[in-house]
Amino acid sequence: MSALRFAEARSEWLDAFNADPAEELDSLLRGYTLVPPYQRANPSEVAVRLFSALGKDDPLMGLLDQSLVEWIVARLVEPEDARLEVGINAYIQHVQEALTVAHRLPLPLTVALLHDRFSDLTSWTERLNLGSARDLRADYWQTLALVQTRRSFLSLWNRCCDEAGGGLPDSYLFIGLLGLQHLPRRDGDADFSHELLTGLARWASHLDDNDTDRHRFLREWRALALRYPRACATLRNVVAPMLEVYAAQPFAKWWAEEVGIEENVKGEPPHELAKKEVEALLAKLPNLSDVAMYLEVEAMAEARKRYVDTFKDAYDLVRDFDRLSNDILERASNFSLHLSHSAVERDKSDAFSRAFMSAALHQLGLADGAELVPLEAIRRFPDDAVYQSDLAKLLAEQGRVAETEALYRETAKRLLDDVVSRTALARLLAEK
Amino acid sequence: VEATEKLSRLTKPIAITVTFQAKLLTSAIAELQEARKAEHRAYAHNFHFEERLSAGRREKYEEALALRGSSLKALNRAHGAFISNRINVTALSDISDPFYPVNQDATIPPLQQTQRLVRIEDLSGWMDSGVFPKDGSALARTVRVARNGPSESGDPAKVEAEDALSAYVEQWNGKRDGRPGFAALHDEVRDDLRSDDWAERLRDQLGLGRLTGSKDEPLPVALMIYTVSDVLEPLAATPDQKLYAFCAPTVIDSRFNEYFFPSPRPKAAIDISYGRTVDLASVVPDRKLVCEMLHRPFRYRQEHIARIGWIRSGLPNHEIWDLRNAHLCRLRGETGRDSFGAEMKPDERA
């Protein structure tokens, strides 16, 4: 009876979608599709109801994935008039619904697009903001947090935690913590990961020592702890190392009390000390003799490595080593290579460390080695255009124009949305 | 004799209550009225029977509609755009169309501040997006602990649970836009809330046809309970904002919906006339229809989440024309408006 009517309506819509996927998906996302009994549901909810019963390998799911990619790309390139025509409030809702569909259904092509077009999508979405419920950049980053397939957005999530309530709205703490919760795990990582706790601590480092901030911290911690119910002893074990690191911050004592740790280590947190040391070292490097430079950089690097190997948080180390590698690249290429290699060992997805490593090898006259670095990265991260671009630049510097052209062509063909390789190819052809 | 009477009722011309001026809109509704599918005819009936649209509100709707044809597709496109821009306003503090003085014919006069209201929120999307924990059972436990005992009890477990819920609700509020909230009177569903299957009962009583689940894939929902005062308190002190904060829903306040049925204009003797929800469970007039209203949305607080439940069934297996005709019969009886609306023909496919 009514169940039959609902099944017929669903089947009818899926047939129409199969016949004209672009039109039907557009209509669905904009809220123009009425499928009983879900007429009053949000468009993404309707999409979930229509597609979730299909397997992820169903051809219609594939068609949805492809159509959603095309729909999002079409929005990126359409003129501003298109937004004004539907009304900016409605326009943002349509894109929000598309992003919701992207994380609620298994759509690998769409997920790849959200990864690969990060810069384009971020700069596009940050212009579409009518307040917290219509902040399209927040929705995009939130979706990315939920679907991320590689660890390369770690710095983004840390930034959200660091800057929430400062350079970014308060609500971005949620995005940062969500990103850290869904960060692809390495072998042996706990679900209550060190990165997640560090994200909370980064945010909490900006809190003052007063009751309001104490309550804010406890509320966030309790919300997080309830997502990962653990025995008290386990919580103490995961929190204790954090208290050592952040002992001087007001939130450390609140955290210690909360999980039942009687005393926490006092003194300046190691990561704060390390940051200051790196700043000081960079400032005095130009005035040091070569020998003194070697000794000081090596001592600092060893201390930093010991810290990271103890606390399993390589984020700051990688950034500091990148800065040092760059600074001493020409003066001490071999030591620059050592630092960038140490950074790559601790975070294999960091593109900057690899670029410095390759540059150092090039500087040392080891052209083959310099080429191997981006080649190895391409093997590991075939969909990340940045490594293809690094390799192409290297080849171009060596005057290997034909190989450079072939690589740009191959990248542009394989990664359809990569603007960098297309622009570089156009420039190369113009210069020929 | 009964069959003949029924046939005669069904073939009687429909008394059209609201008159739209825009020709395309009138043609589109007329086309829908003749549609093969029952749900399309239901949309047409909703326009035809609407009595609570003031001339001003109707004119504003027609102006905003930008209709480009008389097909259902064209009408739905224009209406969908209207909903996105004028009803689903961007922020909780923004004013959606139904809450302007021009909606005076649907406005519900001031209610008692302590009056308790209920509303069901679908949590599935909010859980998928990380706003609430994915583990609904853990969330339900947290809500139970938070609701256990008086708020000033100082029980550490209760305080912890309240804090966690506050963090979730704050994030939720940040993502909620300013669309109106549909609500019912707590007193009218009190008995349903005592039952283990309260979520399904409320879904049916409140006519929430979009909320379906199954044993394998139950749909998580939150029961929200709050007072009239919670709605009014955050509003600006200007009299209009509070005076027009509650209204009966009309056909133009949400997307087309076969489970919506317009409510008649109140009789002079009746102070308040709410909307009435379409009961999805029963085609037998054995209980009073539940009053429904729209209200200005407001920032929830953690204590407004009364409990978490699951909808583990599809909709009761009643045909839409039976549900709507039974609703009409009860509506006429309860409001004394015997000539209000018209019955609906069965679907030709049946």
Side-chain angles (χ1 to χ4, degrees):
Chain A
M1 302 238 288
S2 59
L4 181 65
R5 185 167 66 92
F6 302 150
E8 273 178 15
R10 175 172 175 269
S11 160
E12 204 172 278
W13 187 86
L14 288 173
D15 286 347
F17 171 72
N18 199 17
D20 190 350
E23 167 70 19
E24 291 302 325
L25 177 66
D26 185 66
S27 178
L28 176 64
L29 294 174
R30 293 179 195 272
Y32 308 153
T33 296
L34 297 173
V35 182
Y38 306 114
Q39 291 104 326
R40 255 200 61 208
N42 286 335
S44 54
E45 188 61 43
V46 181
V48 169
R49 300 299 188 145
L50 289 166
F51 285 93
S52 60
L54 304 172
K56 66 180 171 53
D57 297 325
D58 190 290
L60 283 177
M61 193 70 91
L63 195 57
L64 173 67
D65 197 5
Q66 184 60 46
S67 310
L68 190 55
V69 166
E70 288 163 10
W71 192 90
I72 295 172
V73 171
R75 300 289 78 73
L76 272 174
V77 297
E78 72 190 347
E80 202 173 330
D81 288 355
R83 289 174 221 161
L84 299 176
E85 196 184 334
V86 294
I88 192 78
N89 177 24
Y91 186 89
I92 293 176
Q93 286 173 67
H94 303 161
V95 183
Q96 287 177 317
E97 295 296 339
L99 291 169
T100 306
V101 171
H103 76 73
R104 293 193 73 186
L105 289 167
L107 304 173
L109 294 176
T110 309
V111 166
L113 174 82
L114 298 180
H115 281 70
D116 297 341
R117 299 285 300 262
F118 176 74
S119 301
D120 293 339
L121 283 164
T122 296
S123 57
W124 176 65
T125 52
E126 68 192 0
R127 295 195 299 271
L128 295 165
N129 185 343
L130 296 175
S132 71
R134 297 275 187 268
D135 176 355
L136 210 46
R137 181 183 61 177
D139 287 302
Y140 167 46
W141 287 4
Q142 185 179 343
T143 303
L144 192 59
L146 292 163
V147 301
Q148 59 188 313
T149 55
R150 53 182 187 245
R151 296 173 61 86
S152 46
F153 296 103
L154 175 61
S155 56
L156 175 66
W157 315 134
N158 278 324
R159 186 189 149 205
C160 288
C161 294
D162 250 342
E163 295 183 19
L168 293 169
D170 276 328
S171 56
Y172 278 61
L173 170 64
F174 165 74
I175 298 172
L177 295 177
L178 191 69
L180 295 170
Q181 288 168 64
H182 290 263
L183 194 69
R185 309 251 169 83
R186 292 171 302 205
D187 291 344
D189 279 356
D191 53 2
F192 219 150
S193 70
H194 186 78
E195 283 102 344
L196 177 56
L197 296 174
T198 303
L200 181 69
R202 278 173 184 278
W203 165 76
S205 299
H206 302 289
L207 298 177
D208 293 327
D209 194 357
N210 58 47
D211 274 355
T212 308
D213 281 3
R214 176 179 172 275
H215 189 231
R216 283 176 72 194
F217 173 77
L218 290 179
R219 204 178 55 177
E220 292 301 335
W221 162 248
R222 287 167 177 172
L224 209 54
L226 271 173
R227 288 179 193 266
Y228 301 100
R230 294 287 180 276
C232 295
T234 312
L235 284 183
R236 280 195 288 273
N237 285 342
V238 295
V239 170
M242 303 301 301
L243 298 181
E244 276 190 51
V245 177
Y246 292 94
Q249 300 289 337
F251 74 86
K253 64 177 184 250
W254 308 328
W255 212 352
E257 282 165 15
E258 177 75 0
V259 297
I261 295 173
E262 295 296 321
E263 289 177 21
N264 60 319
V265 178
K266 300 291 175 198
E268 186 142 23
H271 85 287
E272 290 294 337
L273 274 177
K275 212 183 225 173
K276 284 180 190 162
E277 278 172 12
V278 173
E279 294 294 339
L281 185 56
L282 282 167
K284 70 179 179 185
L285 271 184
N287 304 322
L288 292 179
S289 69
D290 285 352
V291 174
M293 179 204 69
Y294 268 103
L295 289 174
E296 293 228 11
V297 172
E298 187 169 18
M300 195 280 302
E302 285 310 310
R304 302 287 281 122
K305 281 194 269 187
R306 275 200 301 279
Y307 164 77
V308 167
D309 293 341
T310 307
F311 293 111
K312 311 290 180 208
D313 181 8
Y315 178 80
D316 288 324
L317 174 143
V318 170
R319 265 96 212 133
D320 293 343
F321 278 22
D322 284 349
R323 294 171 73 191
L324 284 165
S325 305
N326 187 32
D327 217 83
I328 61 172
L329 179 62
E330 291 187 5
R331 190 174 167 196
S333 309
N334 54 347
F335 206 59
S336 170
L337 174 63
H338 169 69
L339 288 176
S340 50
H341 182 247
S342 298
V344 170
E345 274 186 331
R346 282 162 179 80
D347 184 358
K348 294 194 167 36
S349 63
D350 187 66
F352 290 109
S353 313
R354 284 184 189 269
F356 291 130
M357 200 175 149
S358 177
L361 285 163
H362 186 61
Q363 191 79 18
L364 289 164
L366 302 168
D368 288 352
E371 202 174 316
L372 273 176
V373 175
L375 276 172
E376 157 69 6
I378 291 168
R379 189 184 64 75
R380 277 179 177 274
F381 310 103
D383 297 327
D384 204 332
V386 68
Y387 299 115
Q388 329 249 356
S389 176
D390 283 350
L391 179 59
K393 270 188 233 158
L394 202 64
L395 295 174
E397 277 171 21
Q398 294 170 17
R400 293 153 70 179
V401 180
E403 285 171 81
T404 310
E405 184 183 331
L407 182 62
Y408 278 138
R409 280 188 188 282
E410 199 264 332
T411 309
K413 193 173 158 191
R414 207 166 55 75
L415 304 175
L416 292 174
D417 301 317
D418 180 46
V419 181
V420 176
S421 60
R422 283 169 190 275
T423 312
L425 177 60
R427 197 176 298 128
L428 187 75
L429 293 174
E431 285 168 3
K432 267 174 86 174
Chain B
V1 172
E2 195 181 323
T4 315
E5 276 179 5
K6 192 172 179 186
L7 186 68
S8 140
R9 281 203 310 274
L10 291 174
T11 51
K12 206 171 69 175
I14 290 172
I16 298 174
T17 311
V18 62
T19 311
F20 289 99
Q21 303 299 313
K23 279 187 181 157
L24 271 179
L25 178 57
T26 313
S27 312
I29 298 169
E31 273 188 41
L32 276 181
Q33 175 57 42
E34 300 306 317
R36 190 174 58 85
K37 291 181 181 173
E39 63 266 23
H40 294 176
R41 297 197 303 281
Y43 309 150
H45 276 195
N46 291 345
F47 273 104
H48 283 321
F49 305 155
E50 184 57 75
E51 292 185 347
R52 320 270 315 247
L53 283 183
S54 64
R57 181 107 204 268
R58 176 180 51 71
E59 279 163 21
K60 276 183 176 295
Y61 175 67
E62 287 177 333
E63 271 169 34
L65 205 54
L67 199 54
R68 290 178 184 167
S70 63
S71 63
L72 170 62
K73 195 173 177 180
L75 176 58
N76 193 30
R77 189 168 276 261
H79 183 75
F82 170 82
I83 295 295
S84 296
N85 278 310
R86 305 294 291 268
I87 304 294
N88 300 348
V89 290
T90 57
L92 290 172
S93 55
D94 291 344
I95 306 177
S96 179
D97 267 14
F99 306 114
Y100 281 100
V102 72
N103 196 31
Q104 63 212 6
D105 288 4
T107 300
I108 295 174
L111 300 160
Q112 267 197 342
Q113 299 265 333
T114 52
Q115 174 79 57
R116 292 215 291 172
L117 307 174
V118 293
R119 171 176 165 75
I120 294 282
E121 289 276 6
D122 174 4
L123 292 187
S124 59
W126 299 110
M127 284 179 169
D128 280 354
S129 64
V131 170
F132 285 99
K134 266 261 189 199
D135 182 350
S137 304
L139 179 64
R141 270 196 304 278
T142 304
V143 172
R144 273 200 301 274
V145 174
R147 297 290 82 84
N148 187 24
S151 56
E152 62 281 3
S153 69
D155 169 12
K158 180 177 164 64
V159 173
E160 278 176 30
E162 287 174 342
D163 273 355
L165 284 181
S166 285
Y168 304 145
V169 169
E170 187 170 310
Q171 186 54 39
W172 189 19
N173 282 332
K175 304 304 285 183
R176 290 171 60 220
D177 62 22
R179 70 188 65 190
F182 279 79
L185 301 171
H186 177 263
D187 287 349
E188 294 194 333
V189 294
R190 192 192 297 270
D191 290 342
D192 297 297
L193 292 175
R194 293 197 183 106
S195 164
D196 285 345
D197 60 349
W198 63 267
E200 279 110 346
R201 279 174 175 254
L202 248 65
R203 181 267 314 268
D204 296 343
Q205 286 304 317
L206 304 185
L208 304 173
R210 69 183 189 283
L211 302 182
T212 63
S214 66
K215 285 203 168 65
D216 293 336
E217 288 182 59
L219 186 80
V221 293
L223 170 69
M224 310 300 293
I225 301 183
Y226 44 90
T227 62
V228 165
S229 160
D230 289 325
V231 176
L232 294 178
E233 215 165 63
L235 299 180
T238 51
D240 274 4
Q241 294 231 10
K242 296 196 179 194
L243 206 55
Y244 295 97
F246 290 88
C247 61
T250 71
V251 62
I252 63 170
D253 295 332
S254 61
R255 293 198 174 91
F256 298 154
N257 179 14
E258 65 195 76
Y259 301 114
F260 168 74
F261 206 107
S263 55
R265 189 181 295 125
K267 279 182 167 180
I270 301 172
D271 286 340
I272 298 176
S273 178
Y274 301 98
R276 298 290 195 283
T277 62
V278 173
D279 179 356
L280 307 181
S282 173
V283 291
V284 182
D286 60 347
R287 68 176 274 181
K288 200 169 169 284
L289 291 171
V290 173
C291 293
E292 75 171 336
M293 69 193 88
L294 291 185
H295 62 69
R296 284 283 298 274
F298 64 100
R299 291 181 72 82
Y300 286 140
R301 295 191 303 273
Q302 60 84 17
E303 60 265 33
H304 295 144
I305 305 180
R307 59 177 96 152
I308 303 294
W310 284 265
I311 289 176
R312 295 187 166 88
S313 66
L315 300 183
N317 208 7
H318 297 302
E319 295 293 7
I320 185 62
W321 47 89
D322 289 332
L323 287 174
R324 289 179 65 94
N325 291 343
H327 176 86
L328 178 63
C329 178
R330 290 154 77 175
L331 193 58
R332 284 171 170 170
E334 286 179 22
T335 59
R337 290 281 308 276
D338 294 343
S339 60
F340 179 74
E343 286 184 314
M344 184 181 192
K345 285 186 287 186
D347 201 325
E348 283 171 16
R349 290 170 300 184

